[in-house]
Amino acid sequence: MAVTETANYTPLTEQTAVELAAQLDFFPKGAALSSREIGDGNLNYVFHITDETGKGLIIKQALPYAKVVGESWPLTLKRAKIEANALKKHGEYVPHLVPEVYATDEALAYTVMEDLSHLTVARAGLIAGETYPKLSDDIGEYLAQTLFHTSDFGLHPFDKKRLAAEFSNPELCKITEDLIFTDPFFNNETNDFEEALTADAEAIWNNKALQLEAAKLKQSFLTEAEALLHGDLHTGSIFASKDETKVIDPEFAFYGPIGFDVGLFLANLVFQSITRGEEGRDVITDHIRNTWDVFSSRFSELWEQENQSAFKDTTGYRETVLEKIFRDSVGFAGAELIRRTIGLAHVSDLDGIEDDEERIARKRQALRTGEAFILKRAELTSIDDVLSLIGALR
Amino acid sequence: MAVTETANYTPLTEQTAVELAAQLDFFPKGAALSSREIGDGNLNYVFHITDETGKGLIIKQALPYAKVVGESWPLTLKRAKIEANALKKHGEYVPHLVPEVYATDEALAYTVMEDLSHLTVARAGLIAGETYPKLSDDIGEYLAQTLFHTSDFGLHPFDKKRLAAEFSNPELCKITEDLIFTDPFFNNETNDFEEALTADAEAIWNNKALQLEAAKLKQSFLTEAEALLHGDLHTGSIFASKDETKVIDPEFAFYGPIGFDVGLFLANLVFQSITRGEEGRDVITDHIRNTWDVFSSRFSELWEQENQSAFKDTTGYRETVLEKIFRDSVGFAGAELIRRTIGLAHVSDLDGIEDDEERIARKRQALRTGEAFILKRAELTSIDDVLSLIGALR
């Protein structure tokens, strides 16, 4: 990782965070503010500032390093600017689905934004059995709006290319390139898996057909600048309640293949489909189907209403574009299923299963499903095909 | 087109060009220099400065407008910087195949470079019956070296993404997006064709299958940032002699699909294959075959020797990459064949045929060939397949 610029940068404290919040035109003058650091400290500070009435805001500050599983490396502070700009850009299209940004500071690498503490992280809620009835409607809408509007179908090519250069995000992309698309497919030291899965991991490293498809997915991630992605759209990047959904943390935002955002979210629903008992599973199956249905139908509506392309009405073009997105999504979902099981950063959906036998069985199922997604993505033509495949590998 | 920055910019004259040349450490002190403007004045001034011994250099200055077929529109001066930087970047890999850059000035939008006046423009030479025995060896090498080394196979992803942002070239790309990938496939007022070809042009506009494939090619051009392309590699951008080849004028340089450079060059050889009599045609057939053979074998060697990718040795990966480049090249060649026949900017290979019947027949052949390239590119698996197709449509 490149060494990052830290001139003029100082980490905030609970005290300086309060002082900063008091300067903003947000709280009543003279309000007694309190501050609590609620981040996990691995990548960012997250200060929750509230007044006596409970009114609050969030100050998120990037740290000049990343800590993952005990390792620490320098990591660019520019990601704070990328994240704030992505929230603002996506907020132009779905203001109800992202936190509002109140203020930013590039040198100090912080963003002041809407307090979402009345919501829970979707991953934790889903693991606890929540159903989040609006989740797939909202994320389908989020995906369609943000990805269509920042693509060449929704933007003048001058604006698209300006944004693509502005959102160049090499360091954060490299994390994805390594941890999702490379390391899990080789016997690399960053991999992290339970001993019981050794043979399964080795089978993946020896699967040459799978490796070839992983190479193609990585090349797509490296080269296909289709739209301004969130870049890390797993269920830990989503706050939710029964009534509301908010997508947070787009610090991995960059111009990439549309299917990457769609696929990451789908894969994280698949973890729930894999780990839930039969009775709780249907709601997840519905969410998977509905995510794709809402995304593809909203994307199609936007295409009809707003696409300025000369080829907008060319027979079969919209279908061709959606087929590519679908195929890519399934492949990227497969890579996410594998990396969260044997790669560096795991998910609590799987790791949280206490029974050893059950946990290993579900992890094997995740690997099988990921492998099938990657290898069979060209044959799967509908979201029901995908759901059948998930069921068949149970 | 966006209005361009012209502060601090003044066009050079033959006098100021001489003064500028005299300041460089190039000619002997006190040499009597003479200057001649040899550009066509549509996009750039090109001053050829020489001393009494015949030693010379070229000063190329971008003009803040473009004139094409009588129309004039503002055009960014930044293209001078893009061109100079592309010459220097490509020159790192093939110094013998591009002019040396001696000096640049961003505000005045000029580049001082190697005098190539001992060479002729390849298009003109080929039309006159020259064979240029080194042409396909050199261009195959140029394509492999420049495209491999600037791709994700040849560069660290940080360097690749930095270059991709640096070479963002929206205005020049838009010209290609419109004139190659859009207008010729619709009844657009920019199109320019002989009355006798009206029915042929209409057939293209009504060919929905062709339009769909053109849409896909355009999307590839818009989104696939594979390598730093020349961006305009027709035979008018190549200086040649029996012994030497130099690629000039990369002002359209940007990160795009590798097949675009390969395809543009191949298409311009195809114009020669179409317009030459039987006796002169074999040398062109050989050049077409050899361009692909040299490109693909050199690209493969560079892959073996220099590719740092974890997937370098993954069975079938190199072949997959080359198959995509091949398919793209054929498709892009097809678009070039069509646009040069019914679109805005023609080629003298076709337009220079004096006999009306012959000229129209050869133009129809170019359209047929272009159409087949685009529609059948997925079925063509070797350069010999392409040559057979060209022969079958004669």
Side-chain angles (χ1 to χ4, degrees):
Chain A
M1 297 288 154
V3 176
T4 206
E5 280 294 314
T6 52
N8 303 319
Y9 174 87
T10 34
L12 295 171
T13 62
E14 296 201 339
Q15 181 54 35
T16 54
V18 161
E19 287 163 17
L20 170 62
Q23 288 163 27
L24 299 166
D25 190 21
F26 184 83
F27 293 109
K29 269 214 159 71
L33 300 182
S34 60
S35 171
R36 202 158 60 91
E37 206 287 303
I38 57 171
D40 59 11
N42 282 338
L43 284 163
N44 305 289
Y45 280 145
V46 182
F47 297 97
H48 183 205
I49 318 279
T50 46
D51 68 12
E52 312 93 318
T53 70
K55 186 182 181 187
L57 53 72
I58 293 293
I59 302 176
K60 177 173 175 178
Q61 184 184 37
L63 294 167
Y65 53 79
K67 278 191 204 158
V68 182
V69 196
E71 285 200 63
S72 177
W73 64 70
L75 187 60
T76 178
L77 292 171
K78 281 183 199 149
R79 67 191 198 276
K81 187 181 170 191
I82 295 260
E83 175 173 339
N85 286 346
L87 285 174
K88 287 191 270 189
K89 176 50 70 180
H90 287 161
E92 291 175 23
Y93 311 114
V94 283
H96 59 304
L97 298 177
V98 297
E100 190 179 344
V101 173
Y102 302 136
T104 62
D105 186 297
E106 198 175 335
L108 290 175
Y110 70 71
T111 304
V112 185
M113 64 185 123
E114 188 178 350
D115 179 11
L116 301 173
S117 59
H118 61 294
L119 304 175
T120 42
V121 175
R123 186 185 305 286
L126 288 168
I127 291 172
E130 293 284 352
T131 57
Y132 296 128
K134 295 195 65 184
L135 182 65
S136 49
D137 275 345
D138 284 346
I139 298 298
E141 175 80 9
Y142 169 86
L143 291 165
Q145 292 282 356
T146 60
L147 299 171
F148 176 87
H149 280 115
T150 58
S151 77
D152 281 293
F153 309 117
L155 285 179
H156 187 283
F158 291 178
D159 296 324
K160 187 265 177 132
K161 290 182 181 75
R162 184 181 46 74
L163 283 179
E166 178 186 328
F167 282 96
S168 179
N169 198 358
E171 290 198 44
L172 282 283
C173 283
K174 180 91 168 47
I175 295 174
T176 304
E177 290 155 18
D178 291 344
L179 298 188
I180 300 191
F181 293 114
T182 311
D183 300 352
F185 300 95
F186 297 92
N187 184 3
N188 193 297
E189 60 183 8
T190 66
N191 289 325
D192 172 29
F193 51 85
E194 305 191 48
E195 209 181 324
L197 290 175
T198 305
D200 305 83
E202 285 171 355
I204 284 175
W205 305 334
N206 291 321
N207 187 336
K208 297 303 168 189
L210 186 68
Q211 217 171 61
L212 176 57
E213 296 307 314
K216 293 182 198 171
L217 289 167
K218 182 176 180 180
Q219 174 72 355
S220 162
F221 185 86
L222 285 165
T223 61
E224 294 178 3
E226 293 178 348
L228 179 62
L229 308 190
H230 177 284
D232 193 27
L233 192 62
H234 58 81
T235 45
S237 299
I238 298 169
F239 271 126
S241 73
K242 189 161 61 54
D243 311 307
E244 231 182 324
T245 313
K246 296 275 187 186
V247 177
I248 62 166
D249 287 355
E251 59 197 341
F252 284 77
F254 79 112
Y255 261 78
I258 289 176
F260 186 74
D261 270 4
V262 181
L264 233 64
F265 179 66
L266 290 178
N268 281 272
L269 291 179
V270 173
F271 286 124
Q272 277 297 303
S273 171
I274 285 174
T275 53
R276 285 191 172 205
E278 209 169 330
E279 63 301 338
R281 198 184 294 148
D282 284 354
V283 74
I284 301 298
T285 301
D286 290 345
H287 274 324
I288 292 173
R289 183 185 292 110
N290 194 50
T291 300
W292 178 258
D293 287 348
V294 170
F295 165 73
S296 58
S297 61
R298 284 299 285 139
F299 191 92
S300 298
E301 282 168 34
L302 292 169
W303 181 291
E304 288 307 318
Q305 292 158 6
E306 299 186 33
N307 190 342
Q308 300 296 318
S309 159
F311 293 98
K312 177 193 153 193
D313 296 320
T314 295
T315 315
Y317 188 33
R318 183 174 54 75
E319 291 79 356
T320 300
V321 168
L322 279 168
E323 280 160 21
K324 177 185 185 293
I325 296 173
F326 181 77
R327 202 167 53 241
D328 289 354
S329 300
V330 175
F332 291 132
E336 170 77 352
L337 287 165
I338 290 173
R339 67 79 67 131
R340 293 291 190 187
T341 309
I342 61 167
L344 184 61
H346 288 198
V347 288
S348 45
D349 311 59
L350 289 171
D351 276 6
I353 302 171
E354 288 190 13
D355 182 85
D356 287 349
E357 205 176 317
E358 173 69 6
R359 189 180 61 254
I360 295 298
R362 295 294 74 81
K363 288 190 173 185
R364 290 211 170 101
Q365 189 182 333
L367 292 176
R368 273 200 306 276
T369 307
E371 206 172 302
F373 274 16
I374 292 175
L375 288 172
K376 298 191 175 168
R377 67 192 191 282
E379 301 155 35
L380 303 170
T381 59
S382 71
I383 194 68
D384 281 317
D385 283 356
V386 173
L387 289 166
S388 300
L389 183 65
I390 296 169
L393 296 171
R394 204 171 294 287
Chain B
M1 297 287 156
V3 176
T4 205
E5 280 293 314
T6 52
N8 302 320
Y9 174 87
T10 35
L12 295 171
T13 62
E14 297 201 338
Q15 181 55 34
T16 55
V18 161
E19 288 163 16
L20 170 62
Q23 288 163 26
L24 300 166
D25 189 21
F26 183 84
F27 293 107
K29 269 214 159 69
L33 301 181
S34 60
S35 170
R36 201 158 60 91
E37 206 286 303
I38 57 171
D40 59 11
N42 282 339
L43 283 163
N44 305 289
Y45 280 145
V46 182
F47 296 97
H48 183 204
I49 318 280
T50 46
D51 68 10
E52 313 91 318
T53 72
K55 186 183 182 187
L57 54 71
I58 293 292
I59 303 176
K60 178 174 175 178
Q61 184 183 38
L63 294 167
Y65 54 80
K67 279 192 202 155
V68 181
V69 196
E71 285 200 65
S72 178
W73 64 71
L75 186 59
T76 177
L77 292 171
K78 281 183 199 149
R79 67 190 199 275
K81 186 181 171 192
I82 294 260
E83 175 173 339
N85 286 345
L87 285 174
K88 287 191 269 189
K89 176 50 70 179
H90 287 160
E92 291 175 23
Y93 311 113
V94 283
H96 59 303
L97 299 176
V98 297
E100 190 180 343
V101 173
Y102 302 135
T104 61
D105 186 296
E106 199 176 335
L108 289 175
Y110 70 71
T111 304
V112 185
M113 66 185 120
E114 188 178 351
D115 179 12
L116 301 173
S117 59
H118 62 295
L119 304 176
T120 43
V121 175
R123 185 185 306 286
L126 288 167
I127 291 172
E130 292 285 351
T131 57
Y132 296 128
K134 295 195 65 186
L135 182 65
S136 48
D137 275 346
D138 285 346
I139 299 297
E141 175 80 9
Y142 168 87
L143 290 166
Q145 292 281 355
T146 60
L147 298 171
F148 176 88
H149 280 115
T150 59
S151 76
D152 281 291
F153 309 117
L155 285 179
H156 187 284
F158 291 178
D159 296 325
K160 186 266 177 130
K161 290 182 180 74
R162 184 180 46 73
L163 283 179
E166 178 185 328
F167 281 96
S168 180
N169 198 359
E171 291 197 44
L172 283 282
C173 282
K174 180 88 166 49
I175 295 175
T176 303
E177 291 155 17
D178 291 344
L179 297 188
I180 300 191
F181 293 113
T182 311
D183 300 352
F185 299 95
F186 297 91
N187 183 4
N188 193 296
E189 61 183 7
T190 66
N191 289 323
D192 173 29
F193 51 84
E194 305 191 48
E195 208 181 325
L197 292 174
T198 305
D200 305 84
E202 285 171 354
I204 284 174
W205 305 334
N206 291 321
N207 187 335
K208 296 302 167 190
L210 185 67
Q211 216 171 60
L212 176 57
E213 296 308 313
K216 294 183 197 169
L217 289 167
K218 182 177 180 181
Q219 174 72 354
S220 162
F221 185 85
L222 284 165
T223 62
E224 294 178 3
E226 292 178 347
L228 179 61
L229 308 190
H230 178 284
D232 193 28
L233 191 62
H234 57 82
T235 45
S237 299
I238 298 169
F239 271 125
S241 74
K242 188 160 62 53
D243 311 307
E244 231 183 323
T245 314
K246 296 275 185 185
V247 176
I248 62 165
D249 287 355
E251 58 197 342
F252 284 77
F254 79 111
Y255 261 77
I258 289 176
F260 186 74
D261 270 5
V262 181
L264 233 65
F265 179 66
L266 290 178
N268 281 271
L269 291 179
V270 173
F271 286 124
Q272 277 297 304
S273 172
I274 285 175
T275 54
R276 284 192 173 205
E278 208 169 331
E279 64 301 339
R281 197 183 295 147
D282 284 354
V283 74
I284 301 299
T285 302
D286 290 345
H287 273 322
I288 292 173
R289 183 186 292 109
N290 194 51
T291 299
W292 178 258
D293 287 349
V294 171
F295 165 73
S296 58
S297 62
R298 284 300 285 140
F299 191 92
S300 298
E301 283 169 33
L302 293 169
W303 180 291
E304 288 308 318
Q305 292 158 7
E306 300 186 33
N307 189 343
Q308 302 295 318
S309 159
F311 293 99
K312 177 194 153 191
D313 296 319
T314 296
T315 315
Y317 188 34
R318 183 174 54 74
E319 291 80 357
T320 300
V321 168
L322 279 168
E323 281 160 21
K324 176 185 185 295
I325 296 173
F326 181 76
R327 203 167 50 239
D328 289 355
S329 300
V330 175
F332 292 132
E336 170 77 351
L337 287 165
I338 291 173
R339 67 80 67 132
R340 293 292 191 187
T341 309
I342 61 167
L344 185 61
H346 287 198
V347 288
S348 45
D349 312 58
L350 289 171
D351 276 5
I353 301 170
E354 288 190 13
D355 183 86
D356 288 348
E357 204 176 319
E358 173 70 7
R359 189 179 62 253
I360 294 298
R362 295 294 75 81
K363 288 191 174 185
R364 291 212 170 102
Q365 189 183 334
L367 292 176
R368 273 199 305 277
T369 308
E371 205 172 303
F373 275 17
I374 292 176
L375 289 171
K376 298 191 175 169
R377 68 192 191 281
E379 301 155 36
L380 304 170
T381 59
S382 72
I383 194 69
D384 281 318
D385 283 357
V386 173
L387 289 166
S388 300
L389 183 65
I390 296 169
L393 296 171
R394 203 171 296 286

